[in-house]
Amino acid sequence: MSASNGQCSESVFDLELTLLLEAIFQRYHYDFRDYAKSSLRRRLRQAMERLGTASLSVLQDRVLHDAHALPILLDYLTIQVSDMFRDPTHFLALRRDVLPILATYPSLKIWIAGCSTGEEFYSMAILLEEEGLLDRAIMYATDVNEEALRKAEAGVYALDRVAGFSESYAAAGGKGSLADWYTAAYNGVVFDRRLRRNVVFSDHSLATDGDFTESHLVLCRNVLIYFDRELQDRAIGLFEQSLVPRGFLALGSKENLRISSHAAAFDTFDMHERIYRKQS
């Protein structure tokens, strides 16, 4: 293939990508139009292979006319990569430095945005329970992928992941054994229902929906890296609107507020762990 033909093929692919995302938005109201294109290209090629389509145009036709194809495609468009106590030093910082401040409030609201299949929610719920705060906290765990939310609510994870979960839990300052919080079942583990006693799982899109609730802490980790600059800024604006004065925002290890137009609304609380605090 000549260089010019290769460039033409890429431009056609990008045109089809734009049309596909617009079609998904118009038909199903899922908005991926401002997700980072480099990541979308890679994931859509994987989706084409999974669904056996030769082009994005064929994939678009399939998604618009086959209701079973959309959930499969959503698994590629929404990132379902997570672990319990992922980046354990981050959760150690929350336990050691943030929760003692939040403990001074009579009640707490915590928003986990982009909760995926729930690993981060259970990590936070265990942290709150061990620090004696879960009974006075209301947690909102949101994601754009409804199937991921169902998995999060079920709290069932593969047995071969538990060793990694347990290691990270210990590194995050766990006060016992992670086994205290789950039972083995169905070739996996099921996390204790008591951890879900104060949580609301809800469909929410950072691309199209408004601010979610008045929160004392917002966790949105390893989500913004998949957005383009404009959508990142929109999401951070939602977090600013949602947080109470002096509330906390926790981002992923490769994310920060420097490029956001909302950066001036926050103080850096822990730069290494990407924890910020809204100004008064």
Side-chain angles (χ1 to χ4, degrees), residues 159-195:
L159 194 60
D160 61 6
R161 302 181 67 193
V162 174
F165 289 174
S166 297
E167 183 178 341
S168 295
Y169 164 76
K175 294 188 173 181
S177 167
L178 188 63
D180 297 336
W181 300 108
Y182 65 77
T183 55
Y186 311 113
N187 296 316
V189 297
V190 183
F191 276 83
D192 195 324
R193 292 180 58 86
R194 291 175 298 169
L195 295 172

Side-chain angles (χ1 to χ4, degrees), residues 109-113 140 142 204 206 212 215 217-219 239 242:
K109 290 184 178 179
I110 297 172
W111 177 17
I112 302 176
Y140 299 91
T142 67
H204 182 274
L206 294 172
F212 193 76
S215 303
L217 169 64
V218 173
L219 282 85
F239 303 150
S242 298

Side-chain angles (χ1 to χ4, degrees), residues 82-95 99 118-131 161-179 181-182 191 195 219 221-222 273:
S82 188
D83 274 310
M84 289 196 66
F85 299 96
R86 183 179 182 181
D87 303 318
T89 57
H90 183 92
F91 284 92
L92 182 61
L94 291 175
R95 183 193 294 271
L99 292 191
E119 290 89 338
E120 192 146 279
F121 157 70
Y122 289 101
S123 301
M124 197 65 219
I126 289 170
L127 223 64
L128 290 168
E129 182 78 323
E130 290 188 343
E131 300 303 321
R161 302 181 67 193
V162 174
F165 289 174
S166 297
E167 183 178 341
S168 295
Y169 164 76
K175 294 188 173 181
S177 167
L178 188 63
W181 300 108
Y182 65 77
F191 276 83
L195 295 172
L219 282 85
R221 304 182 63 244
N222 306 300
E273 299 301 338

Side-chain angles (χ1 to χ4, degrees), residues 122-275:
Y122 289 101
S123 301
M124 197 65 219
I126 289 170
L127 223 64
L128 290 168
E129 182 78 323
E130 290 188 343
E131 300 303 321
L133 296 176
L134 187 57
D135 279 333
R136 50 175 154 138
I138 298 177
M139 301 176 71
Y140 299 91
T142 67
D143 201 273
V144 70
N145 188 321
E146 294 181 5
E147 178 60 27
L149 287 171
R150 282 191 284 271
K151 292 178 180 178
E153 191 164 9
V156 179
Y157 300 101
L159 194 60
D160 61 6
R161 302 181 67 193
V162 174
F165 289 174
S166 297
E167 183 178 341
S168 295
Y169 164 76
K175 294 188 173 181
S177 167
L178 188 63
D180 297 336
W181 300 108
Y182 65 77
T183 55
Y186 311 113
N187 296 316
V189 297
V190 183
F191 276 83
D192 195 324
R193 292 180 58 86
R194 291 175 298 169
L195 295 172
R196 303 195 295 273
R197 63 186 182 270
N198 291 336
V199 64
V200 176
F201 292 100
S202 180
D203 178 19
H204 182 274
S205 170
L206 294 172
T208 57
D209 295 330
D211 54 293
F212 193 76
T213 183
E214 187 178 66
S215 303
H216 299 84
L217 169 64
V218 173
L219 282 85
C220 185
R221 304 182 63 244
N222 306 300
V223 174
L224 300 182
I225 55 174
Y226 298 106
F227 295 172
D228 68 12
R229 186 72 58 86
E230 183 177 350
L231 185 52
Q232 288 177 354
D233 206 52
R234 184 186 195 278
I236 292 168
L238 293 180
F239 303 150
E240 180 193 353
Q241 295 167 25
S242 298
L243 283 166
V244 301
R246 308 305 291 155
F248 291 92
L249 172 62
L251 299 179
S253 60
K254 297 179 181 178
E255 300 164 331
N256 61 66
L257 297 182
R258 287 178 300 178
I259 60 174
S260 173
S261 64
H262 303 279
F266 294 88
D267 296 321
T268 300
F269 185 80
D270 185 332
M271 187 65 238
H272 184 265
E273 299 301 338
R274 301 297 196 265
I275 300 173

